[in-house]
Every structure is written in structure tokens, then in C-alpha cells.
Amino acid sequence: MTQKLVNVGFGNSVVSRRVVAIISPNAAPIKRLRDEAREDRRLIDATQGRKTRSVIITDSNHVILSAIQAETIAQRFSPDLVLSKEELEPEEGL
């Protein structure tokens, strides 16, 4: 069985089957998650010194930082699927 690799920027890739979530790094809970992963040595920084634009969570509980937008990485998983920003935003009242 072949593994599909998804580019997360600057020549870095992750195995698509292992990704649980791709999220924006701006919320305080995500910043805490990143700090906890750093302390537990589960953080992988793939930003090459650039601003973090997305956080990828894997099934092994590793946290991967990427300088690529979350929407762009999500489209790389299924290139035929085109999502608008409105479709990616959470609905009001949830």
C-alpha cells in the first residue's frame, strides 16, 4: 500500500493518513497546545523561520507547525475539492 505525502512547505511532507486536523494557530488554546507539545518534545517546526500559518495535529499526537495557510494544505489533501473561506469558518451558534 502506498503512502500519500502532502507537502506542508519548504520541501517538508507529512503522511496524509496520519493527519487528524489542520487548524489556524491564532486561538489561545492552540498556542497552549503548541507550548505543551514543545515541552513534551512532540513539536515539529516546519516553518523555516517564517510565521506559523497553520498547525497540523497527527494521530501520534505530534504537533507540526507550517508556514502554509490551513486552507491551502487542506486543498492539497483533495485537489479536486475547492472550499471557500465561508465553508471553512465555523457556523454561528455551534
Side-chain angles (χ1 to χ4, degrees):
M1 183 164 87
T2 62
Q3 300 287 331
K4 180 180 177 194
L5 294 175
V6 176
N7 185 337
V8 294
F10 306 107
N12 300 298
S13 301
V14 296
V15 178
S16 62
R17 297 180 43 184
R18 305 291 305 265
V19 174
V20 175
I22 306 167
I23 48 183
S24 173
N26 299 329
I30 305 308
K31 292 178 182 178
R32 283 194 299 272
L33 178 72
R34 180 177 56 193
D35 293 339
E36 289 172 7
R38 180 174 283 124
E39 290 172 8
D40 295 343
R41 301 185 57 85
R42 294 181 289 109
L43 182 71
I44 301 169
D45 188 350
T47 62
Q48 301 291 321
R50 291 176 173 77
K51 180 180 176 183
T52 300
R53 298 188 186 277
S54 63
V55 177
I56 302 166
I57 311 297
T58 65
D59 61 353
S60 61
N61 212 20
H62 283 83
V63 176
I64 303 168
L65 306 180
S66 175
I68 307 296
Q69 292 286 344
E71 294 88 359
T72 303
I73 295 174
Q75 287 180 348
R76 290 178 182 179
F77 276 85
S78 53
D80 297 333
L81 179 65
V82 177
L83 298 174
S84 67
K85 186 170 178 121
E86 292 78 28
E87 292 173 316
L88 293 171
E89 295 295 322
E91 293 182 20
E92 296 291 325
L94 289 181

